[in-house]
């Protein structure tokens, strides 16, 4: 297949959009075979079907590299109660917060969890997403963590989308282990990781390193098991306070350190040295009305690749729009539209170790977005508008 009359943003390196004004893209099977100026298309690529894109913008298909799209119920009632003046304590006493999502996820069937997750996945696909990372972490017991991961795997058979799973047993301490965090790590989290890995359900291992969750020593115990199993790690780090998670992630050569609002310049340096991606989550920053912005300028200075994701979850980021995440990253974090686009394509791919996508280059997977816009900055500029014209997934329109 040959795509012609395309305005291509190749993102072939990190220094610009890599724009080709009168461009063409040749696709063979599920791979990009050639990209360049329309005038230069080799004759061998002119034999198949041609699609005239009417001068529209083409970018790599989008990647949401940090989500919790599999969960039971939602927390809208709690949101409403809070805005009507209920205190955090009252909500907790009424069974609200993360514990309520754990209870709803434990109670839900696989079919129900999948049906609910697909409503969110469909919203992402409608904006051109082709790869989603999905975390466990609302089960916090072996049965439910495995159930969440099985559901995450089923998404890819139910929809034309790729899934990477992350085991997030170290997300919160479940009610039955309150005050016994170390016992939870040793008796539930680590054995569950091993069981999930044995079932082929885990692509990476994640944790929530925070005063209200797990400390660096507890996360390190989980990461040591990940290393033994040959699994890459990533970490929720420095979201609400500085607790050393970024440095720990760098020490383990993590794929990514996520949130990182409270990371320091020295942390940025450590990430750069380790080749770890900083994943920024403006939806959570917005929802929690945070005021501490991530150290964008330090990441730039040290050459830390920055990715962007929805962090779609029922508590701190009930967001299913990567385009809105791009706008929020520009307005709230002062990222540039180019950084935002790299953040949901090439750098998001790096945050997942998915190196065959995120840029329009020969041999990459043929996953593309065709947009009804004339310049890529429009993707981050507009608010609540979806200009997707077509999504091409594995070479198919
Ligand atoms: N970071 C967060 O903000 C949450 N989880 C995490 O790792 C909140 C999850 C929830 O409230 O359900
Ligand atoms: Fe998260």
């Amino acid at each position: 297949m040959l795509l012609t009359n395309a305005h291509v943003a190749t993102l072939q390196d990190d220094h610009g959009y890599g724009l080709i004004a009168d461009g063409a893209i040749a696709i063979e099977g599920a791979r990009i075979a050639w990209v360049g100026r329309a005038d230069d298309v080799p004759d061998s690529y002119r034999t198949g079907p041609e699609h005239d894109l009417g001068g529209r913008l083409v970018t790599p298909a989008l990647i949401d590299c940090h989500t919790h799209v599999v969960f039971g119920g939602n927390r809208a009632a709690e949101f409403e109660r809070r805005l009507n003046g209920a205190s955090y304590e009252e909500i907790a006493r009424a069974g609200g917060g993360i514990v309520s999502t754990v209870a709803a996820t434990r109670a839900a069937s696989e079919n129900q969890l999948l049906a609910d997750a697909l409503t969110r996945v469909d919203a992402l696909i409608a904006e051109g997403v082709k790869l989603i990372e999905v975390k466990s972490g609302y089960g916090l017991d072996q049965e439910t963590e495995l159930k969440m991961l099985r559901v995450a795997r089923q998404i890819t058979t139910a929809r034309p989308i790729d899934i990477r799973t992350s085991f997030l047993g170290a997300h919160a301490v479940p009610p039955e282990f309150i005050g016994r965090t170390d016992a939870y790590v040793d008796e539930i989290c680590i054995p569950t990781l091993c069981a999930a890995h044995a079932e082929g359900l885990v692509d990476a291992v994640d944790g929530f390193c925070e005063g209200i969750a797990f400390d660096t020593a507890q996360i390190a115990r989980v990461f040591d098991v990940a290393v033994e199993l040959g699994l890459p790690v990533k970490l929720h780090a420095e979201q609400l306070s500085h607790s050393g998670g970024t440095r720990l992630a760098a020490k383990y050569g993590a794929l990514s350190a996520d949130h990182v609002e409270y990371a320091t310049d020295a942390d940025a340096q450590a990430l750069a040295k380790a080749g770890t991606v900083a994943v920024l989550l403006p939806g959570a920053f917005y929802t929690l009305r945070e005021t501490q912005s991530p150290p964008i300028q330090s990441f730039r200075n040290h050459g830390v690749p920055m990715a962007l994701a929805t962090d779609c979850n029922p508590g701190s980021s009930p967001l299913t729009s990567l385009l809105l995440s791009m706008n929020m990253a520009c307005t709230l974090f002062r990222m540039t539209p180019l950084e935002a686009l790299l953040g949901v394509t090439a750098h998001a791919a790096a945050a997942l170790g998915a190196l065959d996508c995120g840029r329009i280059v020969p041999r990459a997977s043929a996953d593309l977005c065709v947009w009804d816009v004339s310049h890529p900055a429009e993707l981050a500029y507009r608010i609540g508008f979806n200009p997707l014209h077509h999504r091409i997934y594995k070479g198919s329109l």
Side-chain angles (χ1 to χ4, degrees):
M1 174 163 74
L2 184 67
L3 305 175
T4 60
N5 199 8
H7 185 47
V8 188
T10 60
L11 304 178
Q12 58 189 339
D13 58 44
D14 286 358
H15 305 299
Y17 291 112
L19 286 176
I20 305 172
D22 185 14
I25 302 170
I27 295 172
E28 280 183 332
R31 301 259 150 207
I32 293 167
W34 184 90
V35 58
R37 282 164 31 87
D39 291 345
D40 301 334
V41 178
D43 285 343
S44 55
Y45 296 129
R46 290 206 177 274
T47 52
E50 287 193 18
H51 290 280
D52 185 319
L53 298 183
R56 291 186 179 85
L57 177 75
V58 182
T59 67
L62 307 191
I63 297 166
D64 196 350
C65 67
H66 179 142
T67 87
H68 310 246
V69 292
V70 175
F71 58 83
N74 71 59
R75 307 237 284 273
E78 173 186 324
F79 176 71
E80 185 161 47
R81 240 182 280 140
R82 204 161 2 102
L83 288 166
N84 279 305
S87 70
Y88 184 80
E89 219 192 330
E90 285 167 322
I91 287 167
R93 251 188 285 118
I98 194 165
V99 173
S100 71
T101 300
V102 171
T105 305
R106 287 177 177 179
S109 68
E110 277 191 34
N111 283 344
Q112 187 59 53
L113 285 177
L114 179 62
D116 287 356
L118 289 178
T119 64
R120 301 183 269 273
V121 170
D122 286 340
L124 293 167
I125 290 175
E127 287 188 349
V129 173
K130 77 108 201 176
L131 168 59
I132 307 177
E133 184 257 16
V134 182
K135 302 176 193 298
S136 70
Y138 286 117
L140 311 179
D141 62 28
Q142 180 152 326
E143 184 189 338
T144 315
E145 288 291 305
L146 294 179
K147 178 171 72 176
M148 287 184 73
L149 291 167
R150 286 188 203 112
V151 168
R153 285 279 192 246
Q154 285 168 38
I155 291 170
T156 192
T157 48
R159 292 292 186 274
I161 194 155
D162 298 336
I163 298 294
R164 296 287 174 113
T165 58
S166 297
F167 174 77
L168 181 56
H171 187 197
V173 180
E176 61 273 21
F177 277 89
I178 290 297
R180 297 186 296 132
T181 305
D182 283 306
Y184 170 73
V185 170
D186 297 329
E187 293 167 27
I188 305 293
C189 184
I190 289 173
T192 300
L193 167 57
C194 295
H197 173 69
E199 253 193 67
L201 293 172
V202 185
D203 298 323
V205 175
D206 196 350
F208 188 22
C209 188
E210 195 60 61
I212 58 164
F214 298 87
D215 65 26
T216 50
Q218 289 156 344
I219 296 290
R221 291 218 297 283
V222 179
F223 279 6
D224 284 338
V225 176
V227 170
E228 270 171 49
L229 298 174
L231 294 168
V233 302
K234 45 182 46 248
L235 190 62
H236 289 67
E238 266 58 277
Q239 180 188 2
L240 308 170
S241 62
H242 190 273
S243 23
T246 310
R247 224 71 70 82
L248 182 77
K251 184 176 153 209
Y252 280 83
L255 289 171
S256 68
D258 302 38
H259 289 287
V260 291
E261 277 90 338
Y262 286 84
T264 62
D265 190 68
D267 293 331
Q269 222 167 327
L271 293 180
K273 218 165 144 212
T276 299
V277 177
V279 176
L280 307 178
L281 304 163
F285 179 91
Y286 167 87
T287 301
L288 299 175
R289 307 183 83 229
E290 288 284 340
T291 52
Q292 170 89 19
S293 280
I296 301 293
Q297 195 54 48
S298 286
F299 294 145
R300 284 184 188 129
N301 293 347
H302 297 294
V304 178
M306 292 180 275
L308 274 178
T310 61
D311 195 15
C312 175
N313 78 66
S316 64
S317 189
L319 171 64
T320 47
S321 170
L322 260 187
L323 290 173
L324 185 52
S325 306
M326 291 168 73
N327 176 268
M328 286 175 165
C330 293
T331 299
L332 299 173
F333 297 163
R334 313 310 289 166
M335 283 172 76
T336 66
L338 170 61
E339 288 170 334
L341 184 56
L342 285 165
V344 296
T345 54
H347 294 169
L352 297 178
L355 299 178
D356 73 333
C357 54
R359 300 185 200 267
I360 303 181
V361 292
R363 286 178 298 283
S365 184
D367 306 310
L368 305 167
C369 284
V370 182
W371 307 97
D372 255 325
V373 306
S374 49
H375 191 275
E378 280 180 64
L379 298 175
Y381 158 71
R382 296 186 64 159
I383 304 172
F385 180 71
N386 180 5
L388 186 73
H389 182 72
H390 267 110
R391 189 189 72 144
I392 294 167
Y393 175 68
K394 293 194 199 308
S396 297
L397 269 169

